[in-house]
Amino acid sequence: MGRGERVVAYARAPVRGLALAGLALLGPPLLIVIFVGSHAGLPSPAFFVEQSRRLPALARRLAARWGGADLPSPYRPAPPPPARDPDGWYRDGGALFRSAFPPAYLARLRWIARDPATVRDLAWMALNPLIGGPLAALAPTLIAGGLATAWLRPGGLALGGAAALLGIALGPALLRVHTRWTRVLLAPRARRAPGRVMSAIGRSAAAGARVCASAVLPGVAAVFALAQLLAIALMPVRLWPETVLGSRRFVSWRRAKIGAWTGVRIAEPYRPEPPLPQPEPDGTYRLGWGPVGTVYRTRAAAVRARRFEWTVRDPASWRDLAWLLLEVPVAAVLFAVPALLIAGGLILLCWLWAWTEALSLISGLTWSPGDVLHAAVPASAGLPAPVAGLAAAALGIAAAPALLRCHALLSRALLAPTRAAVLANRVDTLTSSRARISDAQAAELRRIERDLHDGAQARWVAVGMTLGAAEELIDRDPEAAKAVIAGAKEMSVAALGELRELIRGIHPPVLADRGLADAVRTLAMDAPLDAEVRADLPGRAAAPIEAAVYFAVSELLANVAKHAAASRVSVALTYENGLLRATVTDDGRGGAVAGHGGGLHGIRRRLDGFDGVLTLSSPPGGPTAATLEIPCVLSSPKTSTSSGKGSPTS
């Protein structure tokens, strides 16, 4: 930079700082407009937040240009406009709309709300007047103050001139500092994995916070337990089911939190709710059979009675009540002391110190945190309050993980399903799945019979009739007989092709001969889009399981080709911890749902017979990932391979 350019830069810096300070003052009014507009029923919260991005974008551009730094836009790309389904509807997750406006509005609302840059923009609007504004305004303030001092104050020429020169000298440097501050909140933030020390500190802090929360939550459990006891004493038929269901929501939430906090997973033990009662021919409702059955005149009374019977006979209801009653004493034993150590230590370390210092300044008293601590705990004489608070908090945090796991194991003893409940649920699941499999098999047999009757059988009958006609023609017109025989030959080839297709639909030969991996690779080769298959299978599963996975993957690939608008799909076959897993991932538009009666619902019905599950992840905009898991044991070992489309060999 030449001397002339440097002089121009020093001259421009105060003016630019004044402009940036003005932008900082616009942040709080814009926050008020966003808050009022978002809660006043005007166009939408997304509209106001999206329009408010113009101010941070302008500040980002000016700070980058004037501070000599690169500040790219941190916002995630806007969602694409919704696409119309073949049936004319617009889809947003599982909801269908006639107009494109509602799904587009919901997509933009999620886009704004889930973008971390949105929160950082709002934080910048609130904090910039306190940090960035003073930084930018410091140079023009020094210059203006210096000039005013030199002009108005007698003998202030030297002091005012020094202040003005200082402002001019600091102008470019303050602009660079302001740019660094702007980068803190408005620049894209690269995600970096925390180090080992920071991860350990984060886990310890989270465990301490969870211990404090676990010391408070038993109060909520006591409220639910008291509500159930009052319902039993006052109106059991009317109030007991409602209080039980309310308690179940809290207990289920605690069961999930215990698993997330400690890794001790607790399954849901509840029996399914029975179906609603059906009216008798005379309009009444009967529960039970024979002379012990009870007749109810109204549907509401029958529903209350059935729900009461369901909740009373479910052992999980009484085990939940026992857990709610025991939660207070168990938490008092496990969590009271560490929670007091953590909370008291942090208070002693931070708040008590500041409070006593402020009190001594205001009132003139000479109390200190150490005096308060030593008066409460005489044994701590001579120990500074911050040291004692830090030691107490560290002790509570150190004991937190073990205490949380101990509480999780005790909770699992009551909240987990009993062995009898697991077996009963297993029997119900197998009974229902067997019924569904029987229906599916019957439908499959009817399809095969129909295909044979209408396809291959009809063609073979035609072949026989054609050969009969050739037999009559062979003596008097050999040439015509040859032509008829040639036609019969073509019909036999077509019939053979139909039989092969039918056999392939029942059980593909490549699946029986070469296994699941090569059979799926054959499907990928026939797919109408770029497909890749990766297989890591150390052996072969049972033939029915391989067939179920094969046809499930075939259905998923067909769904991707028809509905996903994807250009690429990948299939991964793995086996780990006794689970055969197949994952189909595409780069399509997403929004797939496993609705009743659809292809994904049929896949779930197919997997039910093998105790398998289908999990689907398909956010709007993609990608979509469908994962099949079937518990099984593989047989002979086999070398794992991977290949892309066009490589069906091992």
Side-chain angles (χ1 to χ4, degrees), residues 602-619:
I603 293 175
R604 282 182 170 164
R605 291 184 59 183
R606 183 187 296 273
L607 298 180
D608 280 345
F610 305 98
D611 205 14
V613 295
L614 167 66
T615 57
L616 182 67
S617 173
S618 183

Side-chain angles (χ1 to χ4, degrees), residues 289-473:
W289 299 96
V292 296
T294 306
V295 178
Y296 296 91
R297 292 185 178 275
T298 63
R299 179 184 178 87
V303 169
R304 284 196 300 268
R306 173 155 291 183
R307 296 185 74 184
F308 175 74
E309 181 183 6
W310 164 53
T311 52
V312 166
R313 293 189 176 183
D314 191 349
S317 302
W318 302 102
R319 293 165 66 86
D320 282 357
L321 179 58
W323 181 83
L324 292 171
L325 292 172
L326 294 175
E327 183 69 356
V328 173
V330 169
V333 173
L334 292 178
F335 300 132
V337 173
L340 287 175
L341 287 174
I342 295 171
L346 294 178
I347 291 173
L348 195 64
L349 180 63
C350 304
W351 180 80
L352 182 59
W353 181 270
W355 180 75
T356 51
E357 289 295 330
L359 184 63
S360 64
L361 290 175
I362 294 173
S363 61
L365 298 177
T366 58
W367 292 354
S368 68
D371 296 333
V372 178
L373 174 64
H374 303 154
V377 186
S380 63
L383 186 64
V387 176
L390 184 61
L395 181 61
I397 290 174
L403 295 175
L404 285 173
R405 184 166 182 82
C406 181
H407 175 263
L409 296 176
L410 292 174
S411 299
R412 187 171 64 179
L414 280 176
L415 297 183
T418 62
R419 183 175 179 82
V422 171
L423 292 176
N425 187 36
R426 178 70 172 167
V427 169
D428 293 340
T429 302
L430 290 177
T431 301
S432 59
S433 63
R434 187 175 67 175
R436 290 194 296 268
I437 291 173
S438 298
D439 294 341
Q441 288 178 343
E444 186 71 10
L445 288 175
R446 288 193 297 270
R447 182 189 68 83
I448 294 172
E449 186 274 335
R450 184 173 61 252
D451 291 345
L452 285 173
H453 182 273
D454 297 339
Q457 178 179 333
R459 287 191 179 273
W460 285 114
V461 169
V463 169
M465 295 175 63
T466 304
L467 290 177
E471 185 179 6
E472 295 179 357
L473 291 172

